[in-house]
Amino acid sequence: MKSNRKAAEQPEQANSGRAPLSQDPHAVREPKENNLEMAIGHEVRAYRKKLGITVTDLAAATGISLGMLSKIENGNISPSLTTLQSLSRALGVPLTAFFRRYEEPRNAVFVKAGQGIELERRGTRAGHQYNLLGHIDNNTSGVIVEPYLITLTADSDTFPTFQHEGMEFLYMLEGVVVYRHGDQLFQMEPGDSLFFDADAPHGPEQLVKLPSKYLSIITYPQRSSKG
């Protein structure tokens, strides 16, 4: 059997012309509001001051009373869509600009050691354990992420082969496994990783050293719940 240890290799020079990763993982966004009315009020005031006009000027341009504008800018009232449309036209900004600082609640999943949800996947059998470490549906990223901790404790002559949409990332924690992706074989040892297109047939080909344990992180597009 011929194995291929490519996971830790550096990208070839031929790939150096590709654009770098576009997102800075350490970037910090400007502070946002978790109250919608306060977020809208902040933006209305900021855009008005940017134009150098007074509340009186904005009231004259929109037909909204001074008292109403004061309440909007201070986050004391929830303006109607018609009012926001009038403000967007007067301030020369899109309607969506007023919601820029609003921070919707974001979900997080914390799993204590040994408390992941044990699942049965196709090919699961004695000695092959799959623990789902977290799942957030309907998130804002547009993708679904399924992180698994996979433990292999029993040898066998046959192994499950998987093929599904999305991308998959493996990180070896313990043991040694020869892992197949398409027609390639990768001998994975602790610290090795493998990142691949999951549409190709893949799965453990040979269990060299047991017990074996690795992380499997699967990502795929989030499906719309509409229609």
Side-chain angles (χ1 to χ4, degrees):
M1 180 175 295
K2 189 177 179 181
S3 64
N4 188 355
R5 291 179 55 79
K6 292 185 176 180
E9 293 181 2
Q10 296 296 322
E12 297 179 2
Q13 290 296 322
N15 294 329
S16 61
R18 293 183 299 182
L21 297 177
S22 60
Q23 180 167 268
D24 180 0
H26 303 294
V28 179
R29 296 180 180 178
E30 61 181 284
K32 294 194 175 186
E33 298 281 354
N34 57 14
N35 178 279
L36 180 58
E37 289 76 16
M38 291 294 292
I40 292 173
H42 182 280
E43 292 304 310
V44 171
R45 182 185 295 108
Y47 285 119
R48 175 178 63 76
K49 289 185 175 181
K50 186 176 181 179
L51 291 177
I53 62 176
T54 66
V55 177
T56 302
D57 295 330
L58 186 57
T62 60
I64 302 171
S65 69
L66 284 171
M68 176 68 75
L69 280 176
S70 178
K71 289 180 180 179
I72 291 174
E73 289 196 358
N74 289 313
N76 296 328
I77 192 171
S78 182
S80 67
L81 182 58
T82 300
T83 298
L84 290 176
Q85 287 175 326
S86 297
L87 288 169
S88 71
R89 286 193 294 266
L91 295 171
V93 298
L95 188 64
T96 53
F98 298 133
F99 303 96
R100 188 173 60 91
R101 291 181 62 88
Y102 178 56
E103 182 69 78
E104 292 185 89
R106 300 290 188 259
N107 293 324
V109 176
F110 176 67
V111 178
K112 291 289 289 183
Q115 294 184 5
I117 302 173
E118 188 169 346
L119 298 177
E120 286 197 5
R121 295 179 62 188
R122 185 177 60 82
T124 299
R125 56 178 176 71
H128 285 215
Q129 181 179 337
Y130 298 83
N131 286 92
L132 181 63
L133 301 181
H135 181 74
I136 298 178
D137 202 4
N138 297 322
N139 61 75
T140 61
S141 69
V143 297
I144 296 295
V145 180
E146 295 180 0
Y148 292 95
L149 176 61
I150 299 177
T151 304
L152 309 178
T153 57
D155 204 348
S156 173
D157 293 331
T158 59
F159 302 96
T161 298
F162 302 99
Q163 189 171 7
H164 51 84
E165 65 175 338
M167 306 293 291
E168 186 164 353
F169 175 79
L170 305 182
Y171 185 82
M172 201 70 189
L173 298 171
E174 181 182 346
V176 180
V177 171
V178 174
Y179 200 90
R180 175 181 293 279
H181 177 257
D183 60 358
Q184 293 183 291
L185 297 176
F186 301 87
Q187 181 164 305
M188 299 189 64
E189 301 175 1
D192 290 348
S193 62
L194 183 63
F195 186 45
F196 54 86
D197 187 332
D199 191 51
H202 57 276
E205 180 77 9
Q206 180 184 358
L207 307 184
V208 179
K209 183 179 179 181
L210 295 173
S212 292
K213 184 178 294 186
Y214 58 92
L215 290 174
S216 168
I217 302 174
I218 301 171
T219 67
Y220 53 91
Q222 182 170 281
R223 302 303 183 195
S224 172
S225 59
K226 296 181 180 180

